[in-house]
Amino acid sequence: MSFRHQYVIGDLQGCHAAYLQLLKTLDFDPNQDKLWFAGDLVARGEDSLNTLRDVKALCEQGAAATVLGNHDINLIAVWRGAAKLKSKDKTAPIFAADDCDELLEWLRRQPILAYPDEHTVLVHAGIPPHWSIEAAATYAKS
């Protein structure tokens, strides 16, 4: 599918108001454009819950895709009981939400590496220089 515009956005961090303003500034049209999120959808911003809901909805419409970032992985770890909520993270409202399990089940199924096109690889914080793209893709599937 071809798109009018494609944008890569990194580290939303739950900054919902800034995210909405960015979409407005870009004149984003989910019927014509695509967003690629480079991880860290949640954590330090004022509204991680609605940021996560909005990104999930756009991904389900096919207007966006995301890879996981370290804050997203930490959120999943907290949900699964493998980590404690960090004091700096403002993600507690996600755990109190009626749709918590649905949101986090969706989030945990997102990849850590994606291909926006045949010439581009999207990850959150880079690929070590001694890895090939093929090796990174293999590790991402593990």
Side-chain angles (χ1 to χ4, degrees):
M1 178 177 184
S2 67
F3 300 98
R4 179 183 68 160
H5 301 292
Q6 294 189 66
Y7 302 97
V8 177
I9 302 170
D11 294 79
L12 287 178
Q13 292 278 346
C15 297
H16 193 248
Y19 164 66
L20 294 177
Q21 183 59 49
L22 177 61
L23 294 184
K24 184 176 178 182
T25 299
L26 295 174
D27 190 30
F28 177 73
D29 180 349
N31 296 311
Q32 299 183 68
D33 303 328
K34 183 150 187 176
L35 300 175
W36 292 90
F37 294 101
D40 282 357
L41 302 176
V42 301
R44 308 288 165 82
E46 81 287 349
D47 194 351
S48 287
L49 175 59
N50 282 311
T51 301
L52 188 56
R53 285 175 173 157
D54 286 0
V55 170
K56 178 182 179 284
L58 284 176
C59 288
E60 289 174 342
Q61 292 172 28
T66 189
V67 296
L68 294 172
N70 56 299
H71 287 285
D72 308 318
I73 293 168
N74 184 68
L75 181 71
I76 295 164
V78 171
W79 176 54
R80 292 292 202 184
K84 292 184 180 183
L85 189 62
K86 295 179 181 180
S87 60
K88 291 182 181 179
D89 288 349
K90 299 176 182 175
T91 54
I94 294 171
F95 298 108
D98 290 341
D99 56 348
C100 172
D101 289 342
E102 177 186 338
L103 290 168
L104 295 179
E105 188 63 36
W106 171 82
L107 186 64
R108 79 174 190 88
R109 296 186 187 285
Q110 301 313 300
I112 61 170
L113 182 145
Y115 297 95
D117 62 42
E118 65 276 2
H119 304 290
T120 309
V121 176
L122 179 66
V123 296
H124 172 63
I127 296 172
H130 59 280
W131 289 4
S132 66
I133 299 299
E134 294 77 18
T138 298
Y139 302 146
K141 290 179 185 176
S142 299

